[in-house]
Amino acid sequence: MAYVPDRITREHGKSQDGFAGHDLEVATWPVEPGRYRIVAARACPWANRAIIVRRLLGLEGVISMGLAAPVHDERSWTFALDPGGTDPVLGYERLEQAYLARFPDYAKGITVPTIVDVPSGQIVTNDFPAITHDLFFEWRDHHHDGAPDLWPDDCREEMETVMEQVFRHVNDGVYQCGFAGSQDAYAEAYRQLFATLDQLEERLTGQRYLMGRTITEADVRLFTTLVRFDAVYHGHFKCNRNKLTEMPALWGYARDLFQTPGFGDTVDFEQIKRHYYVVHEDLNPGGIVPEGPDLAGWTTPHGRERL
């Protein structure tokens, strides 16, 4: 998947990463409160990252957000959740319109999250890892008091390594299982997924969060897969060695985050299930959406405050 790589930055042509600004080789747009709109979808794990980070940093009054419907067709995500099926700020029925407003011949994927420049109605970027990175580093002047340090300097190198492992074998790993083109490809993705989950289970047995005692972007990235695991990936994507609820540390960790403001209150399990089970017609031709699993466990005590 190729993304529109533009960035929104405090300084033209440069990115702030906690150190000195460094030059970028992509187009940059200025940080400007009220100018941009994040289009996300509660169904999508990649978009869920942006929803969570925006909420944790207190950027709701600085960058508006539109929510796409969980079911879409081959053309685009739609705004079917909004009255009249139209985004109230952009005036669009489909996210595709923001892409075509800037690139009339755009032929790549229409993805969420997407940041749209409201005055022009054009896409700025849909580069999802850069979006959450920049919400932290580039929009710092607009974070609310007490916003978490999602990219702490003292563990940055280790965190990057952990996030790469999580992305390759967990975030993307479940998709490699679900859309494997052969038995061998599936078996290898399955092996890597559960080997990594076992490593994370061991890591989280002795510490509350991935990087220790505070929440970081690494936790946001892992959470969006874990919260979908039993509802979707275990059955729909054949990630069925065990359920999340059968891994004590990971299940406690996921509940801990779910019960933290900004995490669980951004999750809509019904939209998640409808997206995967209806959109993926090749995996679920009948379009039947499961009634389960029982969600009551997400709000039970997790006991991880002691770590």
Side-chain angles (χ1 to χ4, degrees), residues 94-110:
R94 290 175 171 270
L95 180 55
E96 173 188 56
Q97 292 170 262
Y99 287 68
L100 298 180
R102 183 174 174 193
F103 305 108
D105 298 323
Y106 191 83
K108 301 173 185 176
I110 309 294

Side-chain angles (χ1 to χ4, degrees), residues 43-112:
C44 172
W46 317 104
N48 200 178
R49 290 185 184 184
I51 297 173
I52 293 170
V53 169
R54 172 179 173 268
R55 172 76 186 281
L56 291 176
L57 300 178
L59 293 171
E60 297 99 319
V62 179
I63 307 172
S64 69
M65 184 171 71
L67 291 172
V71 176
H72 61 77
D73 56 24
E74 293 181 357
R75 284 180 56 196
S76 176
W77 295 83
T78 74
F79 295 103
L81 296 176
D82 290 305
T86 301
D87 180 87
V89 172
L90 301 174
Y92 290 155
E93 295 180 354
R94 290 175 171 270
L95 180 55
E96 173 188 56
Q97 292 170 262
Y99 287 68
L100 298 180
R102 183 174 174 193
F103 305 108
D105 298 323
Y106 191 83
K108 301 173 185 176
I110 309 294
T111 63
V112 287

